[in-house]
Amino acid sequence: MKGASITLVAGYPRSGTTFTAGSCAASEAWWHQGEGILELRDKTRPRTGFQLDAGLDRAQFDRSVATLRRFSVRTHSPPAAVRAQFPEVWDRVGRILYVQRHPIEVALSVCRYVIATQGLIPGAGAPETSFEAAAERGEVAAFFRRFCAHRGAPNFLEAWGSWSDHVASWREAMAASGLPGAVLSYDRLVREPVARLLAAADTLGLPWQEEHVRKAVKQMAPEKVRAGIGAFFVGKDPEALRYPDLLGEDDIRLGFATFGAEMLRFGL
């Protein structure tokens, strides 16, 4: 195959694919600059990162294929959709990186995101602009129960399927492809991004140096990611509930009863 190969970064919505793929793209940019292949100050330079779900800039894609050795592409879509809709991408995939986030955290992140960006409580459609107010009224917990019932975010089902199906389909695709593959836990990644990305690079055969990854992570501002996660998700007491102001013990038990087998099987 002539031209650049692709690092495909996949993950369910609200699972950290933007941070991960952005870090990969930036790491590639720093590596290509170090090799003299890419000049970062050139505003017309080929891109080292693409996002499929909003469409593909094919002219830029072709330019990157012709100029670079590697670049990254991110998607929330299941593998069958990527193969069918973007065969020119799928044919150039050289390695797959799947970003997996704890499904309980995915559910709460979806709820927070939809309220912040759409002014609605997902699934219910009720107007709301405050995540905290929705939590106080029990609406967040109610959405979480809907999430469990659907095994994924109700408003994402048509395009991306359930959390369980998404994880399983990408695991199967990675195994069937025979390509280097790795699964990153987003929950761990945001706590130690450089170490986790370097480990992934080693598994995938990417030649990034630590200096490339450190620059990339700094560009992506992981401290903002950690700040956004908040105290609900990073507790000091491992015996305490992780979401005391959002979900009750019965809800937590429901989450583990719903997703427990998948979480254990896939190493979360």
Side-chain angles (χ1 to χ4, degrees):
M1 181 178 69
K2 295 181 179 180
S5 71
I6 289 171
T7 301
L8 188 59
V9 181
Y12 198 72
R14 308 309 300 164
S15 291
T17 51
T18 298
F19 173 73
T20 306
S23 297
C24 290
S27 295
E28 285 289 13
W30 287 112
W31 182 87
H32 280 91
Q33 185 190 42
E35 294 294 302
I37 301 169
L38 186 68
E39 173 54 63
L40 296 184
R41 289 172 291 187
D42 180 5
K43 294 183 179 180
T44 62
R45 68 181 183 273
R47 287 162 50 183
T48 54
F50 292 84
Q51 205 269 68
L52 286 188
D53 302 326
L56 180 65
D57 185 331
R58 296 179 187 277
Q60 276 280 19
F61 178 83
D62 290 343
R63 186 176 182 185
S64 294
V65 167
T67 307
L68 304 176
R69 295 186 182 176
R70 292 174 311 277
F71 56 87
S72 68
V73 173
R74 69 180 171 96
T75 185
H76 294 313
S77 297
V82 177
R83 283 195 297 265
Q85 297 172 24
F86 302 100
E88 69 274 58
V89 173
W90 189 262
D91 289 345
R92 292 188 175 279
V93 172
R95 61 208 64 79
I96 301 173
L97 180 60
Y98 189 82
V99 190
Q100 185 167 318
R101 189 176 188 181
H102 196 298
I104 295 178
E105 296 194 356
V106 170
L108 297 178
S109 181
V110 165
C111 193
R112 186 188 296 273
Y113 177 79
V114 172
I115 289 173
T117 60
Q118 299 180 27
L120 298 172
I121 297 173
E128 182 55 81
T129 57
S130 170
F131 179 81
E132 290 71 20
E136 288 181 7
R137 294 196 308 272
E139 295 280 6
V140 172
F143 169 75
F144 178 74
R145 291 189 287 272
R146 287 194 293 272
F147 187 96
C148 289
H150 289 281
R151 304 186 74 85
N155 56 324
F156 289 157
L157 283 174
E158 183 176 351
W160 294 293
S162 73
W163 181 91
S164 301
D165 290 344
H166 199 277
V167 173
S169 66
W170 274 106
R171 289 281 186 158
E172 291 169 3
M174 291 167 70
S177 72
L179 298 171
V183 178
L184 272 183
S185 165
Y186 182 66
D187 313 282
R188 297 168 183 164
L189 178 65
V190 294
R191 290 162 176 76
E192 43 187 18
V194 174
R196 294 286 172 179
L197 285 170
L198 282 172
D202 184 60
T203 300
L204 298 175
L206 293 166
W208 307 336
Q209 302 300 312
E210 183 171 341
E211 62 177 304
H212 304 143
V213 176
R214 286 196 177 278
K215 287 179 180 179
V217 165
K218 186 176 181 180
Q219 283 179 248
M220 294 302 295
E223 63 276 5
K224 294 181 181 178
V225 176
R226 284 193 290 270
I229 289 176
F232 293 132
F233 306 96
V234 187
K236 295 181 180 180
D237 182 0
E239 297 297 321
L241 288 175
R242 300 178 74 188
Y243 321 93
D245 299 323
L246 298 178
L247 304 175
E249 185 172 354
D250 288 345
D251 293 324
I252 296 296
R253 290 182 184 278
L254 173 63
F256 278 90
T258 302
F259 297 105
E262 285 92 344
M263 288 189 288
L264 290 174
R265 186 183 308 125
F266 300 138
L268 282 178

